[in-house]
PDB file of all heavy atoms in Angstrom:
ATOM      1  N   GLU A   1      67.361   9.130 -68.263  1.00  0.00           N
ATOM      2  CA  GLU A   1      66.447   9.996 -69.011  1.00  0.00           C
ATOM      3  C   GLU A   1      65.200   9.228 -69.435  1.00  0.00           C
ATOM      4  O   GLU A   1      64.078   9.723 -69.311  1.00  0.00           O
ATOM      5  CB  GLU A   1      67.157  10.556 -70.238  1.00  0.00           C
ATOM      6  CG  GLU A   1      66.277  11.485 -71.052  1.00  0.00           C
ATOM      7  CD  GLU A   1      66.987  12.032 -72.276  1.00  0.00           C
ATOM      8  OE1 GLU A   1      68.224  11.970 -72.342  1.00  0.00           O
ATOM      9  OE2 GLU A   1      66.277  12.528 -73.156  1.00  0.00           O
ATOM     10  N   GLU A   2      65.387   8.008 -69.904  1.00  0.00           N
ATOM     11  CA  GLU A   2      64.241   7.208 -70.346  1.00  0.00           C
ATOM     12  C   GLU A   2      63.298   6.922 -69.185  1.00  0.00           C
ATOM     13  O   GLU A   2      62.083   7.006 -69.311  1.00  0.00           O
ATOM     14  CB  GLU A   2      64.762   5.895 -70.966  1.00  0.00           C
ATOM     15  CG  GLU A   2      63.703   5.053 -71.639  1.00  0.00           C
ATOM     16  CD  GLU A   2      63.065   4.047 -70.711  1.00  0.00           C
ATOM     17  OE1 GLU A   2      63.750   3.537 -69.817  1.00  0.00           O
ATOM     18  OE2 GLU A   2      61.855   3.792 -70.871  1.00  0.00           O
ATOM     19  N   ARG A   3      63.863   6.629 -68.018  1.00  0.00           N
ATOM     20  CA  ARG A   3      63.034   6.402 -66.838  1.00  0.00           C
ATOM     21  C   ARG A   3      62.297   7.661 -66.417  1.00  0.00           C
ATOM     22  O   ARG A   3      61.121   7.626 -66.060  1.00  0.00           O
ATOM     23  CB  ARG A   3      63.898   5.929 -65.683  1.00  0.00           C
ATOM     24  CG  ARG A   3      63.991   4.447 -65.605  1.00  0.00           C
ATOM     25  CD  ARG A   3      63.869   4.066 -64.184  1.00  0.00           C
ATOM     26  NE  ARG A   3      63.390   2.708 -64.108  1.00  0.00           N
ATOM     27  CZ  ARG A   3      63.712   1.897 -63.158  1.00  0.00           C
ATOM     28  NH1 ARG A   3      64.541   2.281 -62.235  1.00  0.00           N
ATOM     29  NH2 ARG A   3      63.206   0.705 -63.113  1.00  0.00           N
ATOM     30  N   ALA A   4      62.980   8.777 -66.447  1.00  0.00           N
ATOM     31  CA  ALA A   4      62.346  10.040 -66.063  1.00  0.00           C
ATOM     32  C   ALA A   4      61.209  10.377 -67.010  1.00  0.00           C
ATOM     33  O   ALA A   4      60.156  10.857 -66.591  1.00  0.00           O
ATOM     34  CB  ALA A   4      63.382  11.161 -66.060  1.00  0.00           C
ATOM     35  N   ARG A   5      61.389  10.101 -68.291  1.00  0.00           N
ATOM     36  CA  ARG A   5      60.330  10.378 -69.260  1.00  0.00           C
ATOM     37  C   ARG A   5      59.133   9.446 -69.074  1.00  0.00           C
ATOM     38  O   ARG A   5      57.988   9.885 -69.071  1.00  0.00           O
ATOM     39  CB  ARG A   5      60.862  10.240 -70.684  1.00  0.00           C
ATOM     40  CG  ARG A   5      61.778  11.368 -71.107  1.00  0.00           C
ATOM     41  CD  ARG A   5      62.338  11.090 -72.493  1.00  0.00           C
ATOM     42  NE  ARG A   5      63.181  12.166 -72.956  1.00  0.00           N
ATOM     43  CZ  ARG A   5      62.735  13.227 -73.609  1.00  0.00           C
ATOM     44  NH1 ARG A   5      61.458  13.346 -73.869  1.00  0.00           N
ATOM     45  NH2 ARG A   5      63.569  14.167 -73.996  1.00  0.00           N
ATOM     46  N   SER A   6      59.400   8.155 -68.923  1.00  0.00           N
ATOM     47  CA  SER A   6      58.295   7.198 -68.885  1.00  0.00           C
ATOM     48  C   SER A   6      57.573   7.168 -67.537  1.00  0.00           C
ATOM     49  O   SER A   6      56.350   7.098 -67.484  1.00  0.00           O
ATOM     50  CB  SER A   6      58.789   5.799 -69.239  1.00  0.00           C
ATOM     51  OG  SER A   6      59.677   5.330 -68.240  1.00  0.00           O
ATOM     52  N   GLU A   7      58.330   7.217 -66.436  1.00  0.00           N
ATOM     53  CA  GLU A   7      57.706   7.062 -65.126  1.00  0.00           C
ATOM     54  C   GLU A   7      57.282   8.384 -64.494  1.00  0.00           C
ATOM     55  O   GLU A   7      56.294   8.433 -63.765  1.00  0.00           O
ATOM     56  CB  GLU A   7      58.654   6.318 -64.192  1.00  0.00           C
ATOM     57  CG  GLU A   7      58.881   4.876 -64.610  1.00  0.00           C
ATOM     58  CD  GLU A   7      59.818   4.136 -63.685  1.00  0.00           C
ATOM     59  OE1 GLU A   7      60.164   4.687 -62.622  1.00  0.00           O
ATOM     60  OE2 GLU A   7      60.202   3.015 -64.038  1.00  0.00           O
ATOM     61  N   LEU A   8      58.025   9.440 -64.761  1.00  0.00           N
ATOM     62  CA  LEU A   8      57.726  10.718 -64.126  1.00  0.00           C
ATOM     63  C   LEU A   8      57.096  11.726 -65.069  1.00  0.00           C
ATOM     64  O   LEU A   8      56.697  12.802 -64.650  1.00  0.00           O
ATOM     65  CB  LEU A   8      59.015  11.307 -63.518  1.00  0.00           C
ATOM     66  CG  LEU A   8      59.722  10.419 -62.484  1.00  0.00           C
ATOM     67  CD1 LEU A   8      61.037  11.060 -62.065  1.00  0.00           C
ATOM     68  CD2 LEU A   8      58.832  10.170 -61.291  1.00  0.00           C
ATOM     69  N   GLY A   9      57.057  11.401 -66.364  1.00  0.00           N
ATOM     70  CA  GLY A   9      56.451  12.299 -67.336  1.00  0.00           C
ATOM     71  C   GLY A   9      57.244  13.573 -67.557  1.00  0.00           C
ATOM     72  O   GLY A   9      56.675  14.602 -67.915  1.00  0.00           O
ATOM     73  N   MET A  10      58.539  13.526 -67.360  1.00  0.00           N
ATOM     74  CA  MET A  10      59.374  14.721 -67.524  1.00  0.00           C
ATOM     75  C   MET A  10      59.709  14.937 -69.001  1.00  0.00           C
ATOM     76  O   MET A  10      59.776  13.996 -69.773  1.00  0.00           O
ATOM     77  CB  MET A  10      60.662  14.567 -66.715  1.00  0.00           C
ATOM     78  CG  MET A  10      60.412  14.433 -65.226  1.00  0.00           C
ATOM     79  SD  MET A  10      61.933  14.250 -64.319  1.00  0.00           S
ATOM     80  CE  MET A  10      62.367  15.958 -64.127  1.00  0.00           C
ATOM     81  N   ILE A  11      59.899  16.220 -69.359  1.00  0.00           N
ATOM     82  CA  ILE A  11      60.298  16.577 -70.722  1.00  0.00           C
ATOM     83  C   ILE A  11      61.462  17.550 -70.642  1.00  0.00           C
ATOM     84  O   ILE A  11      61.690  18.186 -69.618  1.00  0.00           O
ATOM     85  CB  ILE A  11      59.133  17.186 -71.522  1.00  0.00           C
ATOM     86  CG1 ILE A  11      58.588  18.435 -70.829  1.00  0.00           C
ATOM     87  CG2 ILE A  11      58.028  16.167 -71.727  1.00  0.00           C
ATOM     88  CD1 ILE A  11      57.578  19.190 -71.646  1.00  0.00           C
ATOM     89  N   ARG A  12      62.189  17.662 -71.733  1.00  0.00           N
ATOM     90  CA  ARG A  12      63.314  18.597 -71.793  1.00  0.00           C
ATOM     91  C   ARG A  12      62.791  20.014 -72.038  1.00  0.00           C
ATOM     92  O   ARG A  12      61.713  20.191 -72.604  1.00  0.00           O
ATOM     93  CB  ARG A  12      64.242  18.216 -72.936  1.00  0.00           C
ATOM     94  CG  ARG A  12      65.090  17.030 -72.656  1.00  0.00           C
ATOM     95  CD  ARG A  12      66.063  16.840 -73.785  1.00  0.00           C
ATOM     96  NE  ARG A  12      66.956  15.751 -73.491  1.00  0.00           N
ATOM     97  CZ  ARG A  12      67.781  15.236 -74.357  1.00  0.00           C
ATOM     98  NH1 ARG A  12      67.829  15.705 -75.591  1.00  0.00           N
ATOM     99  NH2 ARG A  12      68.566  14.245 -74.024  1.00  0.00           N
ATOM    100  N   PRO A  13      63.572  20.996 -71.666  1.00  0.00           N
ATOM    101  CA  PRO A  13      63.173  22.376 -71.974  1.00  0.00           C
ATOM    102  C   PRO A  13      63.083  22.560 -73.490  1.00  0.00           C
ATOM    103  O   PRO A  13      63.937  22.099 -74.236  1.00  0.00           O
ATOM    104  CB  PRO A  13      64.309  23.220 -71.383  1.00  0.00           C
ATOM    105  CG  PRO A  13      64.946  22.346 -70.351  1.00  0.00           C
ATOM    106  CD  PRO A  13      64.775  20.951 -70.832  1.00  0.00           C
ATOM    107  N   GLY A  14      62.031  23.213 -73.938  1.00  0.00           N
ATOM    108  CA  GLY A  14      61.835  23.456 -75.359  1.00  0.00           C
ATOM    109  C   GLY A  14      61.035  22.365 -76.050  1.00  0.00           C
ATOM    110  O   GLY A  14      60.643  22.532 -77.196  1.00  0.00           O
ATOM    111  N   GLU A  15      60.799  21.251 -75.394  1.00  0.00           N
ATOM    112  CA  GLU A  15      59.989  20.187 -76.000  1.00  0.00           C
ATOM    113  C   GLU A  15      58.521  20.436 -75.690  1.00  0.00           C
ATOM    114  O   GLU A  15      58.175  21.095 -74.711  1.00  0.00           O
ATOM    115  CB  GLU A  15      60.372  18.808 -75.441  1.00  0.00           C
ATOM    116  CG  GLU A  15      61.690  18.279 -75.905  1.00  0.00           C
ATOM    117  CD  GLU A  15      61.977  16.882 -75.376  1.00  0.00           C
ATOM    118  OE1 GLU A  15      61.424  16.490 -74.325  1.00  0.00           O
ATOM    119  OE2 GLU A  15      62.754  16.184 -76.018  1.00  0.00           O
ATOM    120  N   THR A  16      57.666  19.914 -76.544  1.00  0.00           N
ATOM    121  CA  THR A  16      56.233  19.996 -76.320  1.00  0.00           C
ATOM    122  C   THR A  16      55.719  18.581 -76.101  1.00  0.00           C
ATOM    123  O   THR A  16      56.008  17.678 -76.875  1.00  0.00           O
ATOM    124  CB  THR A  16      55.518  20.613 -77.534  1.00  0.00           C
ATOM    125  OG1 THR A  16      56.104  21.891 -77.798  1.00  0.00           O
ATOM    126  CG2 THR A  16      54.043  20.777 -77.269  1.00  0.00           C
ATOM    127  N   PHE A  17      54.973  18.417 -75.047  1.00  0.00           N
ATOM    128  CA  PHE A  17      54.441  17.107 -74.704  1.00  0.00           C
ATOM    129  C   PHE A  17      53.037  16.964 -75.271  1.00  0.00           C
ATOM    130  O   PHE A  17      52.193  17.835 -75.079  1.00  0.00           O
ATOM    131  CB  PHE A  17      54.411  16.937 -73.177  1.00  0.00           C
ATOM    132  CG  PHE A  17      53.823  15.640 -72.721  1.00  0.00           C
ATOM    133  CD1 PHE A  17      54.527  14.458 -72.845  1.00  0.00           C
ATOM    134  CD2 PHE A  17      52.547  15.595 -72.170  1.00  0.00           C
ATOM    135  CE1 PHE A  17      53.993  13.270 -72.425  1.00  0.00           C
ATOM    136  CE2 PHE A  17      52.003  14.407 -71.746  1.00  0.00           C
ATOM    137  CZ  PHE A  17      52.726  13.240 -71.876  1.00  0.00           C
ATOM    138  N   TYR A  18      52.797  15.893 -75.987  1.00  0.00           N
ATOM    139  CA  TYR A  18      51.473  15.598 -76.529  1.00  0.00           C
ATOM    140  C   TYR A  18      51.006  14.272 -75.967  1.00  0.00           C
ATOM    141  O   TYR A  18      51.750  13.295 -75.946  1.00  0.00           O
ATOM    142  CB  TYR A  18      51.521  15.487 -78.063  1.00  0.00           C
ATOM    143  CG  TYR A  18      51.848  16.779 -78.760  1.00  0.00           C
ATOM    144  CD1 TYR A  18      53.146  17.049 -79.191  1.00  0.00           C
ATOM    145  CD2 TYR A  18      50.862  17.724 -78.991  1.00  0.00           C
ATOM    146  CE1 TYR A  18      53.452  18.226 -79.832  1.00  0.00           C
ATOM    147  CE2 TYR A  18      51.165  18.907 -79.635  1.00  0.00           C
ATOM    148  CZ  TYR A  18      52.456  19.152 -80.053  1.00  0.00           C
ATOM    149  OH  TYR A  18      52.748  20.329 -80.682  1.00  0.00           O
ATOM    150  N   ARG A  19      49.783  14.248 -75.535  1.00  0.00           N
ATOM    151  CA  ARG A  19      49.186  13.003 -75.059  1.00  0.00           C
ATOM    152  C   ARG A  19      48.023  12.688 -75.983  1.00  0.00           C
ATOM    153  O   ARG A  19      47.129  13.503 -76.176  1.00  0.00           O
ATOM    154  CB  ARG A  19      48.676  13.135 -73.634  1.00  0.00           C
ATOM    155  CG  ARG A  19      47.967  11.855 -73.159  1.00  0.00           C
ATOM    156  CD  ARG A  19      47.553  11.914 -71.731  1.00  0.00           C
ATOM    157  NE  ARG A  19      48.779  11.772 -70.943  1.00  0.00           N
ATOM    158  CZ  ARG A  19      48.833  11.939 -69.640  1.00  0.00           C
ATOM    159  NH1 ARG A  19      47.756  12.276 -68.978  1.00  0.00           N
ATOM    160  NH2 ARG A  19      49.958  11.792 -68.991  1.00  0.00           N
ATOM    161  N   VAL A  20      48.035  11.486 -76.552  1.00  0.00           N
ATOM    162  CA  VAL A  20      46.979  11.060 -77.455  1.00  0.00           C
ATOM    163  C   VAL A  20      46.009  10.203 -76.652  1.00  0.00           C
ATOM    164  O   VAL A  20      46.387   9.194 -76.069  1.00  0.00           O
ATOM    165  CB  VAL A  20      47.561  10.249 -78.640  1.00  0.00           C
ATOM    166  CG1 VAL A  20      46.440   9.771 -79.543  1.00  0.00           C
ATOM    167  CG2 VAL A  20      48.568  11.088 -79.401  1.00  0.00           C
ATOM    168  N   VAL A  21      44.766  10.637 -76.630  1.00  0.00           N
ATOM    169  CA  VAL A  21      43.734   9.920 -75.895  1.00  0.00           C
ATOM    170  C   VAL A  21      42.737   9.397 -76.907  1.00  0.00           C
ATOM    171  O   VAL A  21      42.164  10.155 -77.692  1.00  0.00           O
ATOM    172  CB  VAL A  21      43.029  10.845 -74.877  1.00  0.00           C
ATOM    173  CG1 VAL A  21      41.951  10.098 -74.123  1.00  0.00           C
ATOM    174  CG2 VAL A  21      44.046  11.464 -73.929  1.00  0.00           C
ATOM    175  N   GLU A  22      42.535   8.094 -76.875  1.00  0.00           N
ATOM    176  CA  GLU A  22      41.581   7.501 -77.806  1.00  0.00           C
ATOM    177  C   GLU A  22      40.173   7.650 -77.242  1.00  0.00           C
ATOM    178  O   GLU A  22      39.954   7.579 -76.031  1.00  0.00           O
ATOM    179  CB  GLU A  22      41.909   6.026 -78.017  1.00  0.00           C
ATOM    180  CG  GLU A  22      43.259   5.828 -78.692  1.00  0.00           C
ATOM    181  CD  GLU A  22      43.563   4.365 -78.925  1.00  0.00           C
ATOM    182  OE1 GLU A  22      42.631   3.545 -78.910  1.00  0.00           O
ATOM    183  OE2 GLU A  22      44.743   4.061 -79.109  1.00  0.00           O
ATOM    184  N   ASP A  23      39.200   7.872 -78.148  1.00  0.00           N
ATOM    185  CA  ASP A  23      37.811   7.989 -77.726  1.00  0.00           C
ATOM    186  C   ASP A  23      37.321   6.626 -77.252  1.00  0.00           C
ATOM    187  O   ASP A  23      37.591   5.600 -77.859  1.00  0.00           O
ATOM    188  CB  ASP A  23      36.927   8.452 -78.887  1.00  0.00           C
ATOM    189  CG  ASP A  23      37.223   9.905 -79.256  1.00  0.00           C
ATOM    190  OD1 ASP A  23      37.715  10.636 -78.383  1.00  0.00           O
ATOM    191  OD2 ASP A  23      36.976  10.274 -80.417  1.00  0.00           O
ATOM    192  N   ARG A  24      36.580   6.664 -76.182  1.00  0.00           N
ATOM    193  CA  ARG A  24      35.948   5.440 -75.709  1.00  0.00           C
ATOM    194  C   ARG A  24      34.668   5.237 -76.487  1.00  0.00           C
ATOM    195  O   ARG A  24      34.014   6.182 -76.896  1.00  0.00           O
ATOM    196  CB  ARG A  24      35.583   5.549 -74.234  1.00  0.00           C
ATOM    197  CG  ARG A  24      36.764   5.508 -73.330  1.00  0.00           C
ATOM    198  CD  ARG A  24      36.276   5.331 -71.919  1.00  0.00           C
ATOM    199  NE  ARG A  24      37.152   6.044 -71.003  1.00  0.00           N
ATOM    200  CZ  ARG A  24      36.868   6.292 -69.765  1.00  0.00           C
ATOM    201  NH1 ARG A  24      35.704   5.943 -69.254  1.00  0.00           N
ATOM    202  NH2 ARG A  24      37.712   6.929 -69.000  1.00  0.00           N
ATOM    203  N   ALA A  25      34.309   3.973 -76.648  1.00  0.00           N
ATOM    204  CA  ALA A  25      33.033   3.681 -77.306  1.00  0.00           C
ATOM    205  C   ALA A  25      31.920   4.094 -76.345  1.00  0.00           C
ATOM    206  O   ALA A  25      31.848   3.628 -75.217  1.00  0.00           O
ATOM    207  CB  ALA A  25      32.924   2.209 -77.635  1.00  0.00           C
ATOM    208  N   VAL A  26      31.092   5.011 -76.809  1.00  0.00           N
ATOM    209  CA  VAL A  26      30.010   5.509 -75.970  1.00  0.00           C
ATOM    210  C   VAL A  26      28.768   4.693 -76.278  1.00  0.00           C
ATOM    211  O   VAL A  26      28.370   4.537 -77.430  1.00  0.00           O
ATOM    212  CB  VAL A  26      29.755   7.008 -76.256  1.00  0.00           C
ATOM    213  CG1 VAL A  26      28.618   7.523 -75.407  1.00  0.00           C
ATOM    214  CG2 VAL A  26      31.023   7.805 -76.018  1.00  0.00           C
ATOM    215  N   SER A  27      28.146   4.166 -75.229  1.00  0.00           N
ATOM    216  CA  SER A  27      26.923   3.388 -75.444  1.00  0.00           C
ATOM    217  C   SER A  27      25.772   4.354 -75.729  1.00  0.00           C
ATOM    218  O   SER A  27      25.733   5.466 -75.201  1.00  0.00           O
ATOM    219  CB  SER A  27      26.613   2.532 -74.224  1.00  0.00           C
ATOM    220  OG  SER A  27      26.444   3.339 -73.090  1.00  0.00           O
ATOM    221  N   PRO A  28      24.851   3.940 -76.589  1.00  0.00           N
ATOM    222  CA  PRO A  28      23.722   4.836 -76.908  1.00  0.00           C
ATOM    223  C   PRO A  28      22.882   5.092 -75.665  1.00  0.00           C
ATOM    224  O   PRO A  28      22.769   4.245 -74.793  1.00  0.00           O
ATOM    225  CB  PRO A  28      22.935   4.055 -77.965  1.00  0.00           C
ATOM    226  CG  PRO A  28      23.369   2.640 -77.829  1.00  0.00           C
ATOM    227  CD  PRO A  28      24.748   2.660 -77.256  1.00  0.00           C
TER     228      PRO A  28
END
């Protein structure tokens, strides 16, 4: 299960997947 989650991005039924993306520093 841990491998499926980390390498394949799989989730269980009823779960919600959230991906946190950090803002890149934007040059002026």
Side-chain angles (χ1 to χ4, degrees):
E1 181 180 343
E2 188 269 327
R3 268 222 156 148
R5 287 176 178 272
S6 66
E7 293 180 9
L8 302 175
M10 298 180 85
I11 58 172
R12 285 186 176 170
E15 288 183 336
T16 304
F17 178 74
Y18 294 98
R19 176 175 286 171
V20 178
V21 180
E22 295 181 19
D23 291 336
R24 288 192 214 167
V26 179
S27 59

